[in-house]
Amino acid sequence: INSFISITADSLIQAYYGAASLSSSLVDAIKDIAEANSDVDSSEDKDAAAHFDSEQIQAGHNRLVDFKQMVINQIKLEKYDVARVLAGRMLHTLQDFYSHTNWVEMGRTVPYDVLGDKDGNPDNVAGESEDTCSNCVRGEENLFTSLLNRALYHYRCSDNILPEVNDAGKLTSGYYDGQLDIDGNVIEKTKGKCSHGGFLDSSSDIRATGGINKDSVVEIWSPHASLHSKAVTIATLASETILNDIRGEVGDDKKFSSFLNIALDKQQISSIAYVIDTTGSMYDEIPEIQATLPDIQTRIETYVDSLGPNAEVNLILVPFNDPDDDDSIFSTTDIGVFLDAIAALVAIGGGDCPEPSTGATIRAIRASEYGSPIYVFTDAEPSDGDRETELRALIEETGVQISYVLTGSCYLRRRRSANGQFDNAGRYNQNARRNRRQSAEENFYSNIAAFSGGQVLNVQTSSISELSSVIFLSSELSFTEIYQRTGIGFISSNRSFSVDNTITVLLISLNGNSISSVVRTPDGNNATALDPAAFKIELNTTNSFIATVNITSIAGYGEWELEFTSSGPYSIQVSGLSSLRLSQQFYQLDTESNFGFSKIEGNPTKGQTLALLVTASGDYQEVELNSFDLLTSDGSIHQQFNLTKLSDKSYGSIFTPTLEVFQIALTGVDSSGNQVRRISGTGLQVSEVSLKLGRGSSHYNTLYPGNSSNVTVVLTNLGVTSTFQIDITHGAINSTFSYSINRTQVSLNQNETMEIIIVVTASANASNGDTIQFIVTASTLFTTDASSNYVSFQYIASTLPPPEFTINQTTAAARETANLLLLMFALTVLMSFIELINT
């Protein structure tokens, strides 16, 4: 993870559970761990102990002991999200030991068993005044290397660690310019000591010149690049060992499995959320939802049984009314209790339109597991659409898929009791006509559904009972989107999509007004002529057509076609149950990162060059990816870029998007020559405002009861002069944390920057493991060309004894910034090392 090609999801699941294929939920858990791992390089870059730099061997060991115990505590408390964050930070420090010290150069081939052991301490560390390295040799200088300065004119190092140090088995590590000790003091490199090295480390020019890090296979970053693979091998073994130790100390395989998102029968687990409008106008709809409860019970029980005896599905219910109760949420793994909660719902109140569905959806997201489906039932547009930035931020953070089941819309505030739509008791008057006119506000739902990979189902109230089968079909987390399109059609249209040989089941969905449709197989036949067991119509109304196809039973690989008519707007979505899983991660240029790239915070900004890393997983036949498309909001192709193969299961590319909002469609071919196409579940939004954590601030923070901590957020306006509204939200209820923010509105000229300071305090009675996630958003005011962005960070309360130091970032020397030529050079070498950045 991070600098190393370390533990993959495949190797983890094989090591612990003996399975040949990985679960998608495990991939998500590993991604959480990897992101926390990567964050250490940016948020704790000056903390020498976090990286075993500057001979802070004992301090690095103490850090490992503390983090290991915190991971164990959080798993025991079933705070799995928190445990993954802590595990990522722990693994970063552990893996850096093998890349930043001379352990490999001493000829060691197994992990150092003392590290992270609370009963042990590292010994035989080189003395403070003891020389440890000799000078390295620089390449011959010429005009070309002078222009690129230290990028190409770098040190060549091999045997620069003094023989008397390695022969005596003395531990040393490289010094890095501007790093701090545990007291917050800058550590100055003494002449004769080793440096970390790499062209961003100016300490490498001080005797002994060069460096010893093995972070990558590229010499300009890693003077000991030739030893990278050996460091990887040992670091991988060490990572597996410490996770095994944690597993043993937790003493509960079910909890440890949940920590890694693995069910004990090696199947995935998930959550399903229902968000239900309970205002008076839902008087007809709620009984229809309740009428489906027997079918819901059967389907949930069947689904849970298929996962194995120890599997659980988290069932979430979020009812909302107007005004909304921000605390209204119900979560359980007991199917009976969940159904009883739905059966108890009553439609009453409200009185006007629209309704606060966005806040209710946000509550559901915060309670859901990564990548889970959420279904919102309502007959009104959102009254809190101004929380869209926060909603999109959470979708990007959690990968949830939001689908809306709509039975109506607002028109002239049709719910007002003054118009006779309610009786004196607040009950809805069923004789009041519902105006179902498509409104501009209703686009909110279609935009959010498309952004999250969900869909909008416009149905009649009487059709709700037919939706339960569709909901549970699309709740399968292995379903991935292969085609989507929206538009307006008043004449017959047709759309084609390709089905590759990794797909076993298709889910075809068409929504619109007065629709009719014909599905044709690759050989041109009407799919209705197929065996009903192979082609099943799940829902067929004037507004919605949904069908499932058993591809395996008919060998239906190739180009399919959907012929349809719709009087007005329509949407098409085709998903497949596939053995191939593709995950992607976006990176940005970062001159302060060891690799020149770092994970994107929030949304990318206009004109920003991005790096895309795609990883394939699963038990699938041979597939080759070759390109990806940027899709507009209606699903059409706007830009296309090539993918470069980096390894057997990874691909990369560098690109600059020109769309404001887009989704990624990955394309390739299967072993039979059929097109492979996968659409990312979550879209990206390009912004003209940048919002990122300031230097010394972290996405993941530990706070001790009674203490306070500052987070700095840097706002930069990349557009025209604008005024920005600054909002901060969190999902905690009755939180043991409090916070303050120094400004909530600011005006900035183009390219002007402002710092926002948030002070977070943990109350004296905070419990170990209490967690809060903050999302800070910045949105333009008083303009029709709105732009927004966000950044998130998390605090974890810990009752372990606090360290006796505070890292004072203001005393740290500024890291040398690479010039434009270095950045251009970094782009040219990206393809040779991007595979080292693990998602």
Side-chain angles (χ1 to χ4, degrees), residues 136-274:
C136 292
V137 178
R138 250 184 172 164
E140 182 179 353
E141 183 175 5
N142 55 46
L143 176 62
F144 182 61
T145 57
S146 295
L147 286 174
L148 289 181
N149 196 8
R150 286 161 55 187
L152 290 179
Y153 183 50
H154 60 277
Y155 292 99
R156 270 73 172 180
C157 302
S158 55
D159 299 325
N160 56 320
I161 300 178
L162 297 177
E164 55 265 33
V165 174
N166 284 338
D167 292 346
K170 291 185 177 182
L171 279 172
T172 186
S173 65
Y175 284 70
Y176 201 113
D177 176 56
Q179 285 192 320
L180 310 176
D181 63 18
I182 61 174
D183 297 315
N185 300 314
V186 177
I187 303 173
E188 300 290 348
K189 175 185 173 181
T190 304
K191 289 183 178 180
K193 289 293 186 181
C194 305
S195 283
H196 175 86
F199 76 90
L200 292 178
D201 178 18
S202 60
S203 79
S204 62
D205 291 332
I206 302 172
R207 186 178 67 84
T209 59
I212 65 172
N213 93 73
K214 298 161 281 293
D215 283 344
S216 77
V217 295
V218 182
E219 261 193 348
I220 62 169
W221 268 275
S222 303
H224 283 199
S226 62
L227 297 175
H228 171 76
S229 61
K230 291 183 178 180
V232 166
T233 299
I234 305 175
T236 301
L237 291 173
S239 299
E240 292 176 351
T241 298
I242 200 168
L243 287 174
N244 262 323
D245 290 345
I246 290 171
R247 181 186 184 185
E249 293 196 41
V250 168
D252 185 330
D253 263 3
K254 184 177 179 181
K255 288 184 177 181
F256 188 80
S257 299
S258 296
F259 159 64
L260 292 177
N261 270 350
I262 309 170
L264 290 182
D265 70 335
K266 312 170 195 67
Q267 296 292 330
Q268 63 194 27
I269 59 175
S270 66
S271 64
I272 301 172
Y274 276 32

